[in-house]
Amino acid sequence: MSDITLNTAAAGVPEAAPRSAPLTQLGLVGWMRANLFSSWLNTAVTLLLAYLIIRWAVGFIEWGIVNAIWSVPNNQTQACRDLKGTGACWAVITEKHRFMLFGTYPYEEHWRPALVCLLFIGLYVVSAMRRFWRWELAIIWAAVLSVIGVLMWGGILGLSYVPQERWGGLPITLILATFGLAFAFPLAILVALGRRSSLPAIKVLCVMYVELIRGVPLISLLFMASVMFPLFLPEGMNIDKLLRAQIAIILFAAAYLAEVVRGGLQALPKGQYEAADALGLSYWQKTGFIILPQALRLVIPPLVNTFIGFFKDTSLVLIIGIFDLLTAGKTAIIEPAWQGFGVEVYVTIGAIYFVFCFAMSKYSQGLEAELNRHRRR
Amino acid sequence: MGETMEMLASAARTDAPPAITLDKVNKWFGALHVLRDVSLQVALGERVVVCGPSGSGKSTMIRCINRLETHQEGRIIVDDIELSDDVKALDAIRREVGMVFQSFNLFPHLTVLDNCTLAPIWVRRMPKAEAEDLAMHYLERVKIPEQAKKFPGQLSGGQQQRVAIARALCMKPKIMLFDEPTSALDPEMIKEVLDTMVGLAEMGMTMIVVTHEMGFARQVADRVVFMDRGEIVELGTPAEMFEQPKTDRLRMFLSQILRGH
């Protein structure tokens, strides 16, 4: 049989022209047929789910838009209460959004934390673009973070001084997350390298660090930072509460990130290390040019997973009385007139968190595809 | 007649100062004794082919020469520098010794050109433009200059191994070590890599090659080393070794190798 095919091919019979796939498998109709209506059971499930989704969406639109009240005069929330839950009271957001975003920061100075948030977002956007990935980026970071410090604290350049206790809302969340990850990530790389070091002292130190920090909940670390740590300081010396929480978050995040990075280091074939050694590259040259660029690319998904987790974990600082975005939102509805409108506030805050986390997730997918281009044939 | 000339030539070469000296080298992996009193001298410009059954310690031996493995007893002297825990000595030796691996070990995230220029730029402190010229020179030598901008994953196995040879040459090493360079290749690609190595031998490079390619050994080797169970069993010119093997172990090995071909 195979002989016959061979013979006809050798005889120069023209190859059959490529045919297009049957129409029923192309386009939207084909896709729906294959994925939604391929059998009676699938059709039934599709219809049921479609019904549920539409029911829910219609309900949400009715609650959130059609029946919603967008503003009320002078804290007169009776109109909202009369809805009895059939419509959203977005008036609480209209009224309280400044407090949710900026906490107890002096009202007339709100432009400062607002500018800080924009600076942070600008910094993220610039850092995300590969063409800015050069050493000057470190200077940009240092400069922008200094400006952020000046804006928040004030006390110079004609800005009034605002003590840290009055900071709150979104800037706190962004400060904790940005400084946290910016310091935790390099620390994590060092710890991961240290755990694989051939020097026993460094290795033991790194293993102990990771195991100790991972072994306790973040909440207990934050408590220690806020309550126990000051007891050990000499009389009269005081370290800012936010800074203590920040350090706790950095140490905690670094332990987790270190294990993610170590996973990447272990996934690299031994031959990569040997080839770099054989060429005479030093330890840091080998690590910087050969090992880390490959190891970090491999672990982008779990890295971003951890980043997103820590972005949200910053909300745990509420237990030591720091007003991050979530705590500020919670506090905004303590006032009797606005009690009972938690859903609207939490939906809004959830949406803000979602925007940041979803952006991180989408960006990392693009980055992964771009950085792993060399693996495509 | 021709044979005597060749032997004279190789004898002359062995008078030159040794590029590599192994003196009673011993190594263990745990309890396993993988190198037993291995002594070998390789002269500058000499080509030595190392053969032997798998697990005989031949790869371990050449990996000890640039300290990818550490030996526990005996002395290894490369280019008048003794291998020790001294980091400076090790750096000096690794600059002079190039290595080609069975599995190529190119850096997949760097282009072919960057693979070749990385070490000259950072270890030899060569200006970038000069390193690129040098890299293109050696890529032309291994006959793939047109692939310089590609990533290793886009090349065939034979092309990757030739890039690996060019990468090692870019460090201008005095000595080249080849650890089964054709064992991971499809049969049709073995020749292109062996041809590159023959070309290198003709240029007078000092080479130690671990390989089962007996045709290559006959063509370029000054001496052949036969290893079995961690020791050097026989050592001689290819003619002596292949025509009149002295030991049963070599005879058996040769018959197995030849049957395979």
Tab-separated table of all heavy atoms in Angstrom, chain A residues 270-272 274-281 285 289-290 293-294 297 374 376-377, chain B residues 63 66 68 94 97 101 105-109 118 122-123 125 151 153 155 167 171:
chain	number	residue	atom	x	y	z
A	270	LYS	N	21.278	22.321	34.776
A	270	LYS	CA	22.619	22.488	35.334
A	270	LYS	C	23.612	22.961	34.268
A	270	LYS	O	24.565	23.679	34.565
A	270	LYS	CB	23.074	21.131	35.887
A	270	LYS	CG	23.953	21.207	37.101
A	270	LYS	CD	24.100	19.805	37.704
A	270	LYS	CE	25.547	19.448	37.894
A	270	LYS	NZ	25.957	18.170	37.332
A	271	GLY	N	23.349	22.571	33.032
A	271	GLY	CA	24.242	22.936	31.933
A	271	GLY	C	24.414	24.432	31.771
A	271	GLY	O	25.466	24.896	31.332
A	272	GLN	N	23.380	25.206	32.110
A	272	GLN	CA	23.486	26.655	31.996
A	272	GLN	C	24.532	27.200	32.966
A	272	GLN	O	25.310	28.081	32.626
A	272	GLN	CB	22.131	27.309	32.263
A	272	GLN	CG	21.097	27.007	31.196
A	272	GLN	CD	21.440	27.669	29.875
A	272	GLN	OE1	21.687	28.864	29.815
A	272	GLN	NE2	21.476	26.894	28.811
A	274	GLU	N	27.015	25.434	34.182
A	274	GLU	CA	28.331	24.920	33.781
A	274	GLU	C	28.900	25.690	32.601
A	274	GLU	O	30.086	26.003	32.567
A	274	GLU	CB	28.220	23.426	33.438
A	274	GLU	CG	27.952	22.587	34.669
A	274	GLU	CD	27.820	21.117	34.349
A	274	GLU	OE1	27.715	20.772	33.152
A	274	GLU	OE2	27.821	20.309	35.288
A	275	ALA	N	28.015	26.013	31.627
A	275	ALA	CA	28.496	26.749	30.458
A	275	ALA	C	29.020	28.114	30.885
A	275	ALA	O	30.062	28.574	30.407
A	275	ALA	CB	27.374	26.897	29.431
A	276	ALA	N	28.298	28.772	31.804
A	276	ALA	CA	28.743	30.087	32.278
A	276	ALA	C	30.065	29.962	33.034
A	276	ALA	O	30.969	30.775	32.857
A	276	ALA	CB	27.676	30.717	33.174
A	277	ASP	N	30.184	28.919	33.856
A	277	ASP	CA	31.442	28.685	34.580
A	277	ASP	C	32.591	28.442	33.608
A	277	ASP	O	33.670	28.992	33.752
A	277	ASP	CB	31.311	27.463	35.500
A	277	ASP	CG	30.542	27.801	36.766
A	277	ASP	OD1	30.499	28.988	37.121
A	277	ASP	OD2	29.998	26.876	37.384
A	278	ALA	N	32.317	27.598	32.613
A	278	ALA	CA	33.386	27.221	31.681
A	278	ALA	C	33.886	28.424	30.895
A	278	ALA	O	35.036	28.459	30.482
A	278	ALA	CB	32.886	26.132	30.724
A	279	LEU	N	33.007	29.426	30.686
A	279	LEU	CA	33.434	30.622	29.958
A	279	LEU	C	34.208	31.575	30.857
A	279	LEU	O	34.710	32.592	30.399
A	279	LEU	CB	32.219	31.355	29.379
A	279	LEU	CG	31.595	30.720	28.139
A	279	LEU	CD1	30.257	31.358	27.837
A	279	LEU	CD2	32.527	30.856	26.948
A	280	GLY	N	34.260	31.274	32.158
A	280	GLY	CA	35.039	32.111	33.070
A	280	GLY	C	34.260	33.268	33.651
A	280	GLY	O	34.837	34.177	34.234
A	281	LEU	N	32.913	33.263	33.502
A	281	LEU	CA	32.122	34.342	34.095
A	281	LEU	C	32.191	34.241	35.616
A	281	LEU	O	32.208	33.143	36.169
A	281	LEU	CB	30.662	34.230	33.644
A	281	LEU	CG	30.374	34.447	32.152
A	281	LEU	CD1	28.926	34.120	31.838
A	281	LEU	CD2	30.677	35.871	31.737
A	285	GLN	N	28.381	37.815	37.445
A	285	GLN	CA	28.120	37.896	36.007
A	285	GLN	C	27.215	36.748	35.573
A	285	GLN	O	26.244	36.927	34.833
A	285	GLN	CB	29.442	37.831	35.224
A	285	GLN	CG	30.259	39.103	35.340
A	285	GLN	CD	31.682	38.934	34.829
A	285	GLN	OE1	32.147	37.808	34.636
A	285	GLN	NE2	32.362	40.033	34.617
A	289	PHE	N	23.594	37.727	34.176
A	289	PHE	CA	23.380	37.646	32.725
A	289	PHE	C	22.722	36.340	32.290
A	289	PHE	O	22.033	36.293	31.278
A	289	PHE	CB	24.714	37.774	31.976
A	289	PHE	CG	25.362	39.114	32.145
A	289	PHE	CD1	26.692	39.221	32.507
A	289	PHE	CD2	24.641	40.272	31.935
A	289	PHE	CE1	27.288	40.452	32.671
A	289	PHE	CE2	25.221	41.512	32.086
A	289	PHE	CZ	26.558	41.599	32.462
A	290	ILE	N	22.987	35.278	33.012
A	290	ILE	CA	22.536	33.968	32.536
A	290	ILE	C	21.409	33.409	33.398
A	290	ILE	O	20.360	33.017	32.884
A	290	ILE	CB	23.707	32.948	32.542
A	290	ILE	CG1	24.916	33.520	31.803
A	290	ILE	CG2	23.268	31.617	31.954
A	290	ILE	CD1	24.670	33.884	30.379
A	293	PRO	N	17.981	36.157	34.456
A	293	PRO	CA	17.080	36.485	33.348
A	293	PRO	C	16.220	35.291	32.937
A	293	PRO	O	15.064	35.453	32.582
A	293	PRO	CB	18.031	36.874	32.216
A	293	PRO	CG	19.278	37.292	32.883
A	293	PRO	CD	19.376	36.484	34.140
A	294	GLN	N	16.791	34.096	32.996
A	294	GLN	CA	16.002	32.928	32.611
A	294	GLN	C	15.091	32.482	33.743
A	294	GLN	O	13.931	32.137	33.526
A	294	GLN	CB	16.929	31.773	32.238
A	294	GLN	CG	17.740	32.044	30.996
A	294	GLN	CD	18.501	30.807	30.569
A	294	GLN	OE1	17.929	29.827	30.143
A	294	GLN	NE2	19.808	30.847	30.710
A	297	ARG	N	12.007	34.799	34.214
A	297	ARG	CA	11.014	34.619	33.160
A	297	ARG	C	10.143	33.406	33.412
A	297	ARG	O	8.955	33.409	33.146
A	297	ARG	CB	11.700	34.400	31.812
A	297	ARG	CG	12.068	35.678	31.128
A	297	ARG	CD	13.041	35.368	30.004
A	297	ARG	NE	14.066	36.373	30.011
A	297	ARG	CZ	14.504	36.977	28.920
A	297	ARG	NH1	14.033	36.637	27.751
A	297	ARG	NH2	15.422	37.893	29.001
A	374	HIS	N	11.843	34.028	22.643
A	374	HIS	CA	12.962	33.216	22.168
A	374	HIS	C	12.655	31.727	22.198
A	374	HIS	O	13.371	30.933	21.625
A	374	HIS	CB	14.209	33.496	22.999
A	374	HIS	CG	14.093	33.051	24.422
A	374	HIS	ND1	13.564	33.856	25.409
A	374	HIS	CD2	14.391	31.887	25.018
A	374	HIS	CE1	13.571	33.207	26.546
A	374	HIS	NE2	14.063	32.010	26.353
A	376	ARG	N	9.874	30.463	21.113
A	376	ARG	CA	9.132	30.077	19.909
A	376	ARG	C	10.102	29.736	18.805
A	376	ARG	O	11.175	30.302	18.710
A	376	ARG	CB	8.236	31.236	19.454
A	376	ARG	CG	6.988	31.361	20.262
A	376	ARG	CD	5.926	32.067	19.437
A	376	ARG	NE	6.425	33.326	18.905
A	376	ARG	CZ	6.040	34.509	19.371
A	376	ARG	NH1	5.220	34.585	20.359
A	376	ARG	NH2	6.503	35.605	18.820
A	377	ARG	N	9.689	28.819	17.941
A	377	ARG	CA	10.582	28.432	16.851
A	377	ARG	C	10.492	29.412	15.713
A	377	ARG	O	9.500	30.041	15.496
A	377	ARG	CB	10.189	27.037	16.369
A	377	ARG	CG	10.810	26.008	17.257
A	377	ARG	CD	11.364	24.882	16.443
A	377	ARG	NE	12.553	24.378	17.103
A	377	ARG	CZ	13.618	23.992	16.448
A	377	ARG	NH1	13.660	24.083	15.142
A	377	ARG	NH2	14.658	23.530	17.075
B	63	ARG	N	36.146	17.146	32.773
B	63	ARG	CA	35.464	18.175	33.567
B	63	ARG	C	36.292	18.596	34.781
B	63	ARG	O	36.081	19.679	35.336
B	63	ARG	CB	34.077	17.688	33.992
B	63	ARG	CG	33.080	17.663	32.820
B	63	ARG	CD	31.910	16.754	33.107
B	63	ARG	NE	31.176	17.193	34.276
B	63	ARG	CZ	30.205	18.108	34.247
B	63	ARG	NH1	29.858	18.640	33.114
B	63	ARG	NH2	29.594	18.455	35.347
B	66	ASN	N	38.779	21.822	33.900
B	66	ASN	CA	38.400	23.222	34.176
B	66	ASN	C	37.549	23.319	35.442
B	66	ASN	O	36.814	24.275	35.627
B	66	ASN	CB	37.720	23.871	32.969
B	66	ASN	CG	36.399	23.214	32.639
B	66	ASN	OD1	36.045	22.182	33.220
B	66	ASN	ND2	35.675	23.791	31.718
B	68	LEU	N	34.892	21.905	36.604
B	68	LEU	CA	33.448	21.739	36.742
B	68	LEU	C	33.195	20.622	37.752
B	68	LEU	O	32.154	20.549	38.380
B	68	LEU	CB	32.804	21.401	35.392
B	68	LEU	CG	32.773	22.550	34.387
B	68	LEU	CD1	32.070	22.126	33.110
B	68	LEU	CD2	32.129	23.787	34.958
B	94	ARG	N	40.153	29.030	33.515
B	94	ARG	CA	38.922	28.994	32.721
B	94	ARG	C	38.988	29.949	31.537
B	94	ARG	O	38.331	29.726	30.519
B	94	ARG	CB	37.722	29.311	33.611
B	94	ARG	CG	37.336	28.099	34.442
B	94	ARG	CD	36.148	28.352	35.315
B	94	ARG	NE	35.702	27.125	35.957
B	94	ARG	CZ	34.884	27.082	36.996
B	94	ARG	NH1	34.425	28.209	37.501
B	94	ARG	NH2	34.524	25.935	37.520
B	97	VAL	N	40.865	27.834	28.864
B	97	VAL	CA	40.326	26.539	28.472
B	97	VAL	C	38.881	26.711	28.005
B	97	VAL	O	38.024	27.147	28.762
B	97	VAL	CB	40.363	25.552	29.661
B	97	VAL	CG1	39.768	24.215	29.261
B	97	VAL	CG2	41.793	25.373	30.144
B	101	PHE	N	29.983	21.206	25.153
B	101	PHE	CA	29.252	20.183	25.890
B	101	PHE	C	28.429	19.305	24.952
B	101	PHE	O	28.080	19.707	23.844
B	101	PHE	CB	28.289	20.838	26.875
B	101	PHE	CG	28.958	21.694	27.916
B	101	PHE	CD1	29.257	23.027	27.665
B	101	PHE	CD2	29.294	21.168	29.143
B	101	PHE	CE1	29.874	23.816	28.621
B	101	PHE	CE2	29.907	21.948	30.115
B	101	PHE	CZ	30.191	23.268	29.842
B	105	ASN	N	24.379	23.568	25.629
B	105	ASN	CA	24.313	24.557	26.706
B	105	ASN	C	24.479	25.987	26.221
B	105	ASN	O	25.122	26.803	26.866
B	105	ASN	CB	25.366	24.266	27.783
B	105	ASN	CG	25.087	22.967	28.498
B	105	ASN	OD1	23.997	22.422	28.370
B	105	ASN	ND2	26.055	22.473	29.238
B	106	LEU	N	23.871	26.301	25.072
B	106	LEU	CA	23.815	27.709	24.674
B	106	LEU	C	22.851	28.420	25.607
B	106	LEU	O	22.012	27.784	26.245
B	106	LEU	CB	23.341	27.818	23.228
B	106	LEU	CG	24.312	27.268	22.186
B	106	LEU	CD1	23.698	27.327	20.803
B	106	LEU	CD2	25.625	28.041	22.202
B	107	PHE	N	22.971	29.754	25.684
B	107	PHE	CA	22.056	30.514	26.528
B	107	PHE	C	20.820	30.855	25.701
B	107	PHE	O	20.897	31.682	24.793
B	107	PHE	CB	22.745	31.773	27.052
B	107	PHE	CG	24.047	31.478	27.751
B	107	PHE	CD1	25.209	32.148	27.412
B	107	PHE	CD2	24.110	30.496	28.740
B	107	PHE	CE1	26.410	31.865	28.050
B	107	PHE	CE2	25.304	30.210	29.388
B	107	PHE	CZ	26.460	30.895	29.033
B	108	PRO	N	19.689	30.230	25.995
B	108	PRO	CA	18.540	30.332	25.076
B	108	PRO	C	17.926	31.726	25.007
B	108	PRO	O	17.256	32.044	24.043
B	108	PRO	CB	17.534	29.326	25.659
B	108	PRO	CG	17.923	29.164	27.080
B	108	PRO	CD	19.415	29.357	27.140
B	109	HIS	N	18.162	32.566	26.031
B	109	HIS	CA	17.527	33.881	26.031
B	109	HIS	C	18.375	34.927	25.320
B	109	HIS	O	17.972	36.074	25.210
B	109	HIS	CB	17.249	34.326	27.464
B	109	HIS	CG	18.493	34.482	28.300
B	109	HIS	ND1	19.382	33.453	28.497
B	109	HIS	CD2	18.995	35.551	28.961
B	109	HIS	CE1	20.369	33.888	29.251
B	109	HIS	NE2	20.163	35.144	29.540
B	118	LEU	N	29.284	37.679	24.993
B	118	LEU	CA	29.112	37.921	26.432
B	118	LEU	C	30.423	37.771	27.212
B	118	LEU	O	30.851	38.688	27.918
B	118	LEU	CB	28.052	36.973	26.993
B	118	LEU	CG	27.726	37.178	28.465
B	118	LEU	CD1	26.879	38.426	28.654
B	118	LEU	CD2	26.986	35.980	29.048
B	122	TRP	N	32.751	40.670	29.048
B	122	TRP	CA	32.742	40.796	30.510
B	122	TRP	C	33.930	40.130	31.176
B	122	TRP	O	34.326	40.523	32.255
B	122	TRP	CB	31.437	40.237	31.074
B	122	TRP	CG	30.301	41.127	30.713
B	122	TRP	CD1	29.457	40.970	29.651
B	122	TRP	CD2	29.921	42.348	31.345
B	122	TRP	NE1	28.578	42.014	29.596
B	122	TRP	CE2	28.827	42.870	30.617
B	122	TRP	CE3	30.394	43.045	32.461
B	122	TRP	CZ2	28.211	44.072	30.983
B	122	TRP	CZ3	29.767	44.228	32.810
B	122	TRP	CH2	28.694	44.733	32.072
B	123	VAL	N	34.497	39.103	30.569
B	123	VAL	CA	35.636	38.432	31.199
B	123	VAL	C	36.946	38.993	30.645
B	123	VAL	O	37.878	39.277	31.393
B	123	VAL	CB	35.560	36.907	30.980
B	123	VAL	CG1	36.744	36.224	31.633
B	123	VAL	CG2	34.253	36.366	31.548
B	125	ARG	N	37.069	41.852	29.006
B	125	ARG	CA	36.942	43.318	28.975
B	125	ARG	C	37.215	43.880	27.588
B	125	ARG	O	37.900	44.894	27.426
B	125	ARG	CB	37.897	43.971	29.986
B	125	ARG	CG	37.709	43.493	31.394
B	125	ARG	CD	36.588	44.213	32.076
B	125	ARG	NE	36.106	43.450	33.215
B	125	ARG	CZ	34.942	43.648	33.811
B	125	ARG	NH1	34.122	44.547	33.357
B	125	ARG	NH2	34.567	42.927	34.833
B	151	PHE	N	17.865	33.270	17.716
B	151	PHE	CA	18.008	32.660	19.040
B	151	PHE	C	18.361	31.182	18.870
B	151	PHE	O	17.971	30.568	17.875
B	151	PHE	CB	16.716	32.799	19.843
B	151	PHE	CG	16.452	34.200	20.314
B	151	PHE	CD1	15.548	35.023	19.660
B	151	PHE	CD2	17.136	34.711	21.410
B	151	PHE	CE1	15.321	36.322	20.101
B	151	PHE	CE2	16.919	36.004	21.853
B	151	PHE	CZ	16.012	36.809	21.196
B	153	GLY	N	17.204	28.506	19.977
B	153	GLY	CA	16.073	27.604	19.757
B	153	GLY	C	15.611	27.539	18.318
B	153	GLY	O	14.863	26.638	17.938
B	155	LEU	N	17.650	27.214	15.775
B	155	LEU	CA	18.660	26.529	14.967
B	155	LEU	C	18.540	25.015	15.119
B	155	LEU	O	17.991	24.515	16.097
B	155	LEU	CB	20.070	26.952	15.405
B	155	LEU	CG	20.380	28.439	15.456
B	155	LEU	CD1	21.847	28.642	15.799
B	155	LEU	CD2	20.058	29.102	14.141
B	167	ARG	N	31.393	30.051	20.254
B	167	ARG	CA	31.337	30.771	21.530
B	167	ARG	C	32.598	30.507	22.358
B	167	ARG	O	33.169	31.431	22.937
B	167	ARG	CB	30.093	30.340	22.312
B	167	ARG	CG	29.997	30.980	23.678
B	167	ARG	CD	28.732	30.605	24.410
B	167	ARG	NE	28.744	29.220	24.862
B	167	ARG	CZ	27.782	28.664	25.595
B	167	ARG	NH1	26.720	29.372	25.914
B	167	ARG	NH2	27.866	27.414	25.970
B	171	MET	N	36.722	33.240	23.208
B	171	MET	CA	37.558	33.561	24.368
B	171	MET	C	39.031	33.334	24.037
B	171	MET	O	39.891	33.476	24.907
B	171	MET	CB	37.151	32.697	25.564
B	171	MET	CG	35.890	33.182	26.255
B	171	MET	SD	36.094	34.810	26.969
B	171	MET	CE	37.041	34.419	28.433
